[in-house]
Coordinates of all heavy atoms in Angstrom, one line a residue:
Chain A
Y28 N -3.9 -0.5 8.6 CA -2.4 -0.3 8.6 C -1.7 -1.6 8.2 O -2.1 -2.7 8.7 CB -1.9 0.2 9.9 CG -2.5 1.6 10.3 CD1 -3.7 1.6 11.1 CD2 -1.9 2.8 9.9 CE1 -4.2 2.9 11.4 CE2 -2.4 4.0 10.2 CZ -3.6 4.0 10.9 OH -4.2 5.2 11.3
C29 N -0.7 -1.5 7.4 CA 0.0 -2.8 7.0 C 1.5 -2.5 7.3 O 2.1 -1.5 6.9 CB -0.2 -2.9 5.5 SG 0.6 -4.3 4.8
N30 N 2.1 -3.6 7.9 CA 3.5 -3.5 8.2 C 4.2 -4.7 7.7 O 3.8 -5.8 8.0 CB 3.7 -3.3 9.7 CG 3.4 -1.9 10.2 OD1 4.0 -0.9 10.0 ND2 2.2 -1.9 10.8
S31 N 5.4 -4.6 7.1 CA 6.2 -5.6 6.6 C 7.4 -5.8 7.3 O 8.0 -4.8 7.9 CB 6.6 -5.4 5.1 OG 7.5 -6.4 4.7
S32 N 7.9 -7.0 7.5 CA 9.1 -7.3 8.3 C 10.3 -6.9 7.4 O 11.5 -6.8 7.9 CB 9.2 -8.7 8.8 OG 9.1 -9.6 7.6
T33 N 10.2 -6.8 6.0 CA 11.2 -6.5 5.2 C 10.8 -5.3 4.3 O 9.6 -5.0 4.1 CB 11.6 -7.6 4.3 OG1 10.4 -8.0 3.6 CG2 12.0 -8.8 5.1
T34 N 11.8 -4.6 3.7 CA 11.5 -3.6 2.7 C 10.9 -4.2 1.5 O 11.4 -5.3 1.0 CB 12.9 -2.9 2.4 OG1 13.5 -2.4 3.6 CG2 12.6 -1.7 1.4
L35 N 9.9 -3.5 0.9 CA 9.2 -4.0 -0.2 C 9.5 -3.2 -1.4 O 9.7 -2.0 -1.4 CB 7.7 -4.0 0.1 CG 7.2 -4.7 1.4 CD1 5.8 -4.3 1.7 CD2 7.3 -6.2 1.1
S36 N 9.5 -3.9 -2.6 CA 9.7 -3.2 -3.8 C 8.3 -2.5 -4.2 O 8.4 -1.4 -4.9 CB 10.1 -4.1 -5.0 OG 9.1 -5.1 -5.1
N37 N 7.3 -3.1 -3.8 CA 6.0 -2.4 -4.1 C 5.0 -3.0 -3.0 O 5.3 -4.0 -2.3 CB 5.5 -2.6 -5.5 CG 5.2 -4.1 -5.8 OD1 4.1 -4.6 -5.4 ND2 6.1 -4.8 -6.4
I38 N 3.8 -2.4 -2.8 CA 2.8 -2.9 -2.0 C 1.5 -2.8 -2.7 O 1.3 -1.9 -3.6 CB 2.7 -2.3 -0.6 CG1 1.9 -3.2 0.3 CG2 2.2 -0.9 -0.7 CD1 2.2 -2.9 1.8
Q39 N 0.6 -3.8 -2.6 CA -0.6 -3.8 -3.2 C -1.8 -3.9 -2.2 O -1.5 -4.5 -1.1 CB -0.8 -5.0 -4.1 CG 0.4 -4.9 -5.2 CD 0.7 -6.4 -5.7 OE1 -0.2 -7.2 -6.0 NE2 2.0 -6.6 -5.8
W40 N -2.9 -3.5 -2.6 CA -4.1 -3.7 -1.8 C -5.3 -4.4 -2.5 O -5.4 -4.1 -3.8 CB -4.6 -2.3 -1.2 CG -3.7 -1.5 -0.2 CD1 -2.7 -0.9 -0.4 CD2 -3.9 -1.8 1.1 NE1 -2.1 -0.5 0.8 CE2 -2.9 -1.1 1.8 CE3 -4.8 -2.5 2.0 CZ2 -2.7 -1.0 3.2 CZ3 -4.6 -2.4 3.3 CH2 -3.6 -1.7 4.0
Y41 N -5.9 -5.2 -1.8 CA -7.1 -6.0 -2.5 C -8.2 -5.8 -1.6 O -8.0 -5.6 -0.4 CB -6.7 -7.4 -2.5 CG -5.6 -7.8 -3.5 CD1 -4.2 -7.5 -3.2 CD2 -5.8 -8.3 -4.7 CE1 -3.2 -7.8 -4.1 CE2 -4.7 -8.5 -5.7 CZ -3.5 -8.2 -5.3 OH -2.4 -8.6 -6.1
K42 N -9.4 -5.9 -2.2 CA -10.6 -5.9 -1.4 C -11.4 -7.2 -1.7 O -11.5 -7.6 -2.9 CB -11.5 -4.7 -1.8 CG -12.8 -4.7 -1.0 CD -13.7 -3.6 -1.6 CE -15.1 -3.6 -0.8 NZ -16.0 -2.5 -1.3
Q43 N -11.9 -7.8 -0.7 CA -12.8 -8.9 -0.8 C -14.2 -8.7 -0.2 O -14.3 -8.6 1.0 CB -12.1 -10.2 -0.2 CG -12.9 -11.5 -0.3 CD -12.0 -12.7 0.3 OE1 -11.3 -12.6 1.1 NE2 -12.4 -13.9 -0.3
R44 N -15.1 -8.6 -1.0 CA -16.5 -8.6 -0.5 C -17.0 -10.0 0.1 O -16.5 -11.0 -0.3 CB -17.5 -8.2 -1.6 CG -17.3 -6.9 -2.1 CD -18.5 -6.3 -2.9 NE -18.6 -4.9 -2.9 CZ -18.2 -4.2 -3.8 NH1 -17.7 -4.7 -4.9 NH2 -18.2 -2.8 -3.8
P45 N -17.9 -9.9 1.1 CA -18.4 -11.2 1.7 C -18.9 -12.2 0.7 O -19.6 -11.8 -0.2 CB -19.5 -10.6 2.7 CG -19.2 -9.3 2.9 CD -18.5 -8.7 1.7
G46 N -18.3 -13.3 0.8 CA -18.7 -14.4 -0.2 C -18.0 -14.2 -1.6 O -18.3 -15.1 -2.5
G47 N -17.1 -13.2 -1.7 CA -16.5 -13.1 -3.1 C -15.0 -13.4 -3.0 O -14.6 -14.1 -2.1
H48 N -14.4 -12.9 -4.1 CA -12.9 -13.2 -4.2 C -12.2 -12.0 -4.0 O -12.8 -10.8 -4.2 CB -12.6 -13.9 -5.4 CG -13.1 -13.1 -6.7 ND1 -14.3 -13.0 -7.2 CD2 -12.3 -12.3 -7.5 CE1 -14.3 -12.3 -8.2 NE2 -13.1 -11.8 -8.5
P49 N -10.8 -12.1 -3.6 CA -10.1 -10.7 -3.6 C -10.0 -10.1 -5.0 O -9.7 -10.8 -6.0 CB -8.7 -11.3 -3.2 CG -9.0 -12.6 -2.5 CD -10.1 -13.2 -3.2
V50 N -10.1 -8.8 -5.0 CA -10.1 -7.9 -6.1 C -9.0 -6.9 -5.9 O -9.0 -6.3 -5.0 CB -11.3 -7.3 -6.4 CG1 -11.3 -6.3 -7.6 CG2 -12.5 -8.3 -6.6
F51 N -8.0 -6.8 -6.9 CA -6.9 -5.9 -6.9 C -7.5 -4.5 -6.9 O -8.3 -4.1 -7.8 CB -6.1 -6.2 -8.1 CG -5.0 -5.1 -8.4 CD1 -3.9 -5.1 -7.5 CD2 -5.2 -4.1 -9.3 CE1 -2.9 -4.2 -7.7 CE2 -4.1 -3.2 -9.5 CZ -3.0 -3.2 -8.7
L52 N -6.9 -3.7 -6.0 CA -7.3 -2.2 -5.9 C -6.3 -1.3 -6.5 O -6.6 -0.5 -7.4 CB -7.6 -1.8 -4.5 CG -8.8 -2.4 -3.9 CD1 -8.9 -1.9 -2.4 CD2 -10.1 -2.1 -4.6
I53 N -5.0 -1.5 -6.0 CA -3.9 -0.5 -6.4 C -2.6 -1.2 -6.0 O -2.5 -2.0 -5.2 CB -4.3 0.7 -5.7 CG1 -3.6 1.9 -6.4 CG2 -3.7 0.7 -4.2 CD1 -4.2 3.3 -6.0
Q54 N -1.6 -0.5 -6.8 CA -0.2 -0.9 -6.4 C 0.6 0.4 -6.1 O 0.4 1.4 -6.9 CB 0.4 -1.7 -7.6 CG 1.8 -2.1 -7.3 CD 2.4 -2.7 -8.6 OE1 2.4 -2.3 -9.6 NE2 3.1 -3.9 -8.4
L55 N 1.4 0.4 -5.1 CA 2.2 1.5 -4.8 C 3.6 1.1 -5.0 O 4.0 0.0 -4.5 CB 1.9 2.1 -3.4 CG 0.5 2.4 -3.0 CD1 0.3 2.6 -1.7 CD2 0.0 3.7 -3.8
V56 N 4.5 2.0 -5.5 CA 5.8 1.6 -5.8 C 6.8 2.5 -5.2 O 7.8 2.0 -4.8 CB 6.0 1.5 -7.4 CG1 7.5 1.1 -7.6 CG2 5.1 0.6 -8.0
K57 N 6.6 3.8 -5.2 CA 7.6 4.8 -4.8 C 7.6 5.0 -3.3 O 6.4 5.1 -2.7 CB 7.4 6.0 -5.6 CG 7.6 5.8 -7.1 CD 7.3 7.2 -7.8 CE 7.3 7.1 -9.2 NZ 6.9 8.3 -9.9
S58 N 8.6 5.3 -2.7 CA 8.7 5.6 -1.3 C 7.9 6.9 -1.2 O 8.1 7.9 -1.8 CB 10.2 5.9 -0.9 OG 10.3 6.6 0.4
G59 N 7.1 6.9 0.0 CA 6.2 8.0 0.3 C 5.0 8.3 -0.7 O 4.4 9.3 -0.6
E60 N 4.7 7.3 -1.6 CA 3.7 7.6 -2.6 C 2.4 7.6 -1.9 O 2.1 6.9 -1.0 CB 3.8 6.5 -3.6 CG 2.9 6.6 -4.8 CD 3.2 5.5 -5.9 OE1 3.8 4.5 -5.7 OE2 2.7 5.7 -7.0
V61 N 1.6 8.4 -2.5 CA 0.1 8.6 -2.1 C -0.8 8.5 -3.3 O -0.5 9.2 -4.4 CB -0.2 9.9 -1.4 CG1 -1.7 10.0 -1.0 CG2 0.7 10.1 0.0
K62 N -1.8 7.7 -3.3 CA -2.7 7.5 -4.4 C -4.2 7.6 -3.9 O -4.4 7.1 -2.8 CB -2.4 6.3 -5.2 CG -1.2 6.3 -6.1 CD -1.2 5.0 -7.0 CE 0.0 5.0 -7.9 NZ 0.0 3.8 -8.8
K63 N -5.0 8.2 -4.7 CA -6.3 8.3 -4.3 C -7.3 7.6 -5.3 O -7.1 7.7 -6.7 CB -6.7 9.7 -4.1 CG -6.0 10.5 -3.0 CD -6.7 11.7 -2.7 CE -6.1 12.3 -1.4 NZ -6.7 13.6 -0.9
Q64 N -8.3 7.0 -4.8 CA -9.3 6.4 -5.7 C -10.6 6.9 -5.0 O -11.1 6.3 -4.1 CB -9.2 4.9 -5.7 CG -8.2 4.3 -6.5 CD -8.2 2.8 -6.6 OE1 -8.9 2.1 -5.9 NE2 -7.3 2.2 -7.5
K65 N -11.2 7.9 -5.5 CA -12.4 8.5 -5.0 C -12.3 8.7 -3.5 O -11.5 9.4 -3.0 CB -13.6 7.6 -5.2 CG -13.9 7.4 -6.8 CD -15.1 6.6 -7.1 CE -15.3 6.4 -8.5 NZ -16.5 5.6 -8.9
R66 N -12.9 7.9 -2.6 CA -12.9 8.2 -1.2 C -11.8 7.4 -0.5 O -11.6 7.4 0.7 CB -14.2 7.8 -0.5 CG -15.4 8.7 -0.9 CD -16.7 8.2 -0.3 NE -17.1 6.9 -0.9 CZ -17.0 5.8 -0.1 NH1 -16.5 5.8 1.0 NH2 -17.3 4.6 -0.7
L67 N -11.0 6.6 -1.2 CA -9.9 5.8 -0.7 C -8.6 6.5 -1.0 O -8.3 6.9 -2.0 CB -10.0 4.4 -1.4 CG -10.9 3.4 -1.0 CD1 -12.3 3.8 -1.1 CD2 -10.6 2.1 -1.7
T68 N -7.8 6.5 0.1 CA -6.5 7.1 0.0 C -5.4 6.1 0.5 O -5.5 5.6 1.5 CB -6.2 8.4 0.9 OG1 -7.2 9.4 0.3 CG2 -4.9 8.9 0.7
F69 N -4.5 5.7 -0.4 CA -3.5 4.7 -0.2 C -2.1 5.4 0.0 O -1.8 6.3 -0.7 CB -3.3 3.8 -1.3 CG -4.6 3.0 -1.6 CD1 -5.5 3.7 -2.4 CD2 -4.9 1.8 -1.1 CE1 -6.8 3.2 -2.8 CE2 -6.1 1.2 -1.4 CZ -7.0 1.8 -2.3
Q70 N -1.3 5.0 1.0 CA 0.0 5.5 1.3 C 1.0 4.5 1.4 O 0.8 3.4 2.1 CB -0.1 6.5 2.5 CG 1.1 7.3 2.7 CD 0.7 8.4 3.7 OE1 -0.3 8.6 4.3 NE2 1.7 9.4 3.9
F71 N 2.2 4.7 0.9 CA 3.3 3.9 1.0 C 4.3 4.6 1.9 O 4.7 5.7 1.5 CB 3.9 3.4 -0.3 CG 4.7 2.3 -0.3 CD1 4.9 1.4 0.8 CD2 5.5 2.0 -1.5 CE1 5.7 0.3 0.7 CE2 6.2 0.8 -1.6 CZ 6.3 0.0 -0.5
G72 N 4.9 4.0 2.9 CA 5.7 4.6 3.9 C 7.1 5.0 3.2 O 7.5 4.4 2.3
E73 N 7.8 5.9 3.8 CA 9.1 6.4 3.4 C 10.1 5.2 3.3 O 11.0 5.2 2.3 CB 9.5 7.5 4.2 CG 8.8 8.9 4.2 CD 8.9 9.6 2.9 OE1 9.9 9.3 2.1 OE2 8.0 10.4 2.5
A74 N 10.0 4.3 4.3 CA 11.1 3.3 4.4 C 10.6 2.1 3.5 O 11.3 1.1 3.5 CB 11.2 2.9 5.8
K75 N 9.4 2.2 2.9 CA 8.8 1.1 2.1 C 8.6 -0.2 2.8 O 8.8 -1.3 2.3 CB 9.7 0.9 0.8 CG 9.8 2.1 -0.1 CD 10.5 1.9 -1.4 CE 9.8 1.2 -2.4 NZ 10.3 1.1 -3.7
K76 N 8.3 0.0 4.1 CA 7.9 -1.2 5.0 C 6.5 -1.1 5.6 O 6.1 -2.0 6.1 CB 9.0 -1.2 6.2 CG 10.3 -1.6 5.7 CD 11.3 -1.8 6.9 CE 11.1 -3.1 7.7 NZ 12.0 -3.3 8.7

Side-chain angles (χ1 to χ4, degrees):
Chain A
Y28 300 91
C29 178
N30 288 285
S31 170
S32 59
T33 60
T34 302
L35 301 170
S36 59
N37 67 81
I38 195 157
Q39 300 151 47
W40 286 91
Y41 295 77
K42 177 183 178 181
Q43 183 176 23
R44 288 201 160 96
H48 59 278
V50 174
F51 171 76
L52 292 177
I53 206 160
Q54 183 184 47
L55 304 171
V56 178
K57 298 176 185 173
S58 169
E60 188 170 16
V61 178
K62 285 189 176 179
K63 293 192 176 186
Q64 288 180 349
K65 298 183 181 177
R66 294 177 295 103
L67 278 62
T68 301
F69 304 84
Q70 190 162 5
F71 200 10
E73 294 290 340
K75 301 184 78 173
K76 293 183 72 174

